[in-house]
Amino acid sequence: SFEGRGMTFIDFADVILPQAKNSGYNAVLLTAVVEHAKAGGGCEATSFFAPASCCGTPEDLKALVDHAHGLGLLVFFALNHSHCSAN
């Protein structure tokens, strides 16, 4: 956890992206970024086009991607459709 809670999109942009860039990476892979039934970072997607509300707003996710691109980092999103929620 990050300071006793889960990391938000903004936390990731501020903390992890600079570390990735300084470590020589050219891309990041984000997982469990869509809304899901298990609020602890599960991968059972329930809303394919809605960012996980526990991590921030859609604007926060856009800011993360913009910041990554500004650092010259590619951003990949992982969504495993076989893990989608049945409800």
Side-chain angles (χ1 to χ4, degrees):
S1 73
F2 185 75
E3 297 180 3
R5 59 177 170 73
M7 187 172 270
T8 67
F9 296 132
I10 297 301
D11 295 332
F12 189 91
D14 291 344
V15 176
I16 303 300
L17 292 180
Q19 290 178 5
K21 177 66 175 178
N22 292 336
S23 296
Y25 289 95
N26 64 359
V28 292
L29 171 66
L30 303 178
T31 62
V33 295
V34 297
E35 194 63 42
H36 42 75
K38 297 179 181 176
C43 293
E44 296 179 358
T46 56
S47 298
F48 298 116
F49 303 106
S53 59
C54 63
C55 297
T57 66
E59 290 74 22
D60 294 341
L61 180 57
K62 291 175 190 177
L64 183 160
V65 172
D66 286 344
H67 188 62
H69 290 166
L71 292 172
L73 297 168
L74 300 171
V75 180
F76 295 96
F77 294 94
L79 176 61
N80 188 337
H81 290 283
S82 66
H83 289 198
C84 297
S85 180
N87 59 2

